[in-house]
Amino acid sequence: MNLKKLSSLLGLSQTTVSRALNGYPEVSEATRQRVAEFAREMNYQPNRSAQRLATGKSLTIGHVVPVADHDMMNPHFIDFIAGAGEIYHRRGYDMLISVVSEDEQNRFYESLHRNKRVDGVIVHGPTVDDERVRLLNALGLPFVVHGRTKDPEESYSWVDVNNEEVFEKAAEYLLSLGHRRIGLINGWEFMTFAERRRAGYERALRKNGIKPVPELMYSNEMIEPNGHAAMLALLDLRDTPTAVLCSSVLTAMGAIRALRDRGLRPGDDVSMIGFDDCLSFLPSTGDGGLLTAYRSGIRLAGRQCADMLIDQIEGGGDNASLLLNAELSVGKSTRPLECATAAL
């Protein structure tokens, strides 16, 4: 069905129907709803090229992925894109993923804006001092940050997990089980999420009269081999930790492999908590599974960022923010210290 046929059945002009479908303010809300509902009933799919001409918009959302020593193209990113893609499809937008060198990022954002290739962008992997926020605000290009920076939080739109609180609670849970020497296998700490996670972990220790020990903390890219290497290093210490916090289920998998390499078992010998175990390529690890984890679905974050950005593109208005929570799912990898079956 084309626009002409749809307009005829509605008894409205093609111009009115087009404007109703594209959200023009001069069309009444009642007419807009009537047209939208009838279009859904008739399974009408608007012509994208015509929409772009009518609205002056590209109907495309940009994702700029920098090539660096750490790789954003990991399973977390893929799950995020899957969630965002669901919203783009539902709301009539396309997706543009561009992989650029790290030193070309700013010029590439400027090019996207100048050439009107996208209506907005989602910023990935924010660092503590991230110039992209200031650049995009100066350009006037709508954007949402997946995470936060040190810029004033009201100066941009963002969706984030309460990382500091989650890792404070995770450390407190291990402390409540009697553990006092707790390791941290973290992500890169020039990225804001990892800095906040370390801050939460350290705050929990200090609140319980325990001084944080640098030799128990590791910071690296969150991939399985790095979790394996960090856990081996922790096990080689003279005074080994009895529990470990991992910033990703991927590093937790590597840490578990390291324990098994040494003939040890998660939970029985070293308690372990992971984070972000809701990944599509892995079976659930919580609710009585192997890994105790704080759960915060990355796909959900993708949906939230996409909806927030499109609302901003279509409606304008003030910046928005959303702080997501994470829930503890207790598995077999945590036990009270006195229940340990082996002294390391």
Side-chain angles (χ1 to χ4, degrees):
M1 176 179 289
N2 58 27
L3 181 64
K4 182 177 180 181
K5 179 66 173 176
L6 183 70
S7 303
S8 176
L9 291 172
L10 281 164
L12 298 170
S13 70
Q14 291 184 51
T15 299
T16 298
V17 172
S18 176
R19 289 179 179 273
L21 291 172
N22 289 304
Y24 279 79
E26 57 264 36
V27 179
S28 71
E29 184 61 28
T31 298
R32 184 180 295 109
Q33 289 183 3
R34 178 190 166 207
V35 171
E37 289 171 6
F38 190 69
R40 281 194 294 270
E41 290 173 9
M42 302 303 294
N43 197 29
Y44 170 75
Q45 298 293 325
N47 181 290
R48 288 288 181 84
S49 297
Q51 274 190 309
R52 291 180 173 108
L53 287 171
T55 63
K57 289 181 165 50
S58 68
L59 299 178
T60 302
I61 304 298
H63 296 259
V64 179
V65 183
V67 177
D69 292 337
H70 61 289
D71 191 355
M72 285 298 301
M73 300 294 279
N74 56 38
H76 298 91
F77 178 79
I78 300 304
D79 263 24
F80 180 94
I81 288 295
E86 295 173 22
I87 303 302
Y88 299 153
H89 176 73
R90 178 169 62 81
R91 299 188 65 172
Y93 281 73
D94 292 325
M95 182 193 314
L96 174 67
I97 299 178
S98 303
V99 180
V100 303
S101 64
E102 199 164 24
D103 59 358
E104 291 179 350
Q105 275 191 99
N106 288 358
R107 288 193 298 273
F108 193 80
Y109 280 118
E110 291 167 352
S111 173
L112 286 176
H113 178 60
R114 182 173 59 253
N115 297 324
K116 297 184 178 180
R117 294 180 62 192
V118 299
D119 297 322
V121 295
I122 290 179
V123 175
H124 297 277
T127 59
V128 174
D129 182 22
D130 201 317
E131 62 182 2
R132 291 175 294 177
V133 167
R134 298 181 286 278
L135 171 66
L136 292 168
N137 272 327
L139 291 174
L141 181 62
F143 69 98
V144 170
V145 179
H146 179 213
R148 283 175 286 174
T149 72
K150 288 297 187 182
D151 295 275
E153 292 182 359
E154 68 277 5
S155 68
Y156 62 100
S157 293
W158 54 266
V159 174
D160 197 10
V161 175
N162 196 342
N163 288 291
E164 190 165 344
E165 180 179 285
V166 168
F167 271 66
E168 181 178 3
K169 287 181 176 179
E172 287 177 342
Y173 179 73
L174 292 172
L175 289 162
S176 75
L177 296 178
H179 298 281
R180 290 296 178 269
R181 192 163 170 83
I182 301 170
L184 174 67
I185 301 177
N186 204 4
W188 285 122
E189 290 176 1
F190 60 80
M191 303 181 80
T192 315
F193 79 90
E195 184 201 50
R196 291 176 185 271
R197 290 177 184 181
R198 178 169 177 167
Y201 156 85
E202 291 187 345
R203 185 164 64 221
L205 295 179
R206 290 192 175 96
K207 281 169 59 177
N208 286 271
I210 300 170
K211 183 178 179 180
V213 179
E215 70 176 2
L216 293 179
M217 305 178 205
Y218 286 83
S219 171
N220 208 331
E221 184 182 356
M222 297 189 302
I223 56 176
E224 194 272 355
N226 290 340
H228 181 263
M231 179 58 84
L232 288 179
L234 288 170
L235 294 175
D236 286 338
L237 294 173
R238 182 185 299 274
D239 187 6
T240 59
T242 63
V244 176
L245 281 174
C246 293
S247 265
S248 168
V249 67
L250 300 179
T251 50
M253 289 169 62
I256 290 170
R257 180 164 65 92
L259 289 177
R260 289 173 173 162
D261 287 348
R262 297 289 178 87
L264 303 172
R265 291 173 294 182
D268 289 338
D269 298 310
V270 178
S271 283
M272 183 182 304
I273 296 179
F275 185 77
D276 270 350
D277 71 330
C278 299
L279 295 174
S280 60
F281 73 99
L282 285 175
S284 174
T285 53
D287 299 325
L290 172 62
L291 183 65
T292 295
Y294 273 88
R295 316 190 72 181
S296 176
I298 196 77
R299 187 177 292 233
L300 171 63
R303 295 190 194 105
Q304 299 283 6
C305 283
D307 259 332
M308 184 180 290
L309 179 56
I310 294 173
D311 287 346
Q312 182 178 341
I313 290 166
E314 296 183 349
D318 297 332
N319 291 319
S321 62
L322 178 63
L323 190 61
L324 301 172
N325 293 314
E327 297 181 358
L328 177 65
S329 181
V330 178
K332 298 175 182 177
S333 66
T334 47
R335 299 184 67 182
L337 181 60
E338 61 268 20
C339 293
T341 61
L344 298 181

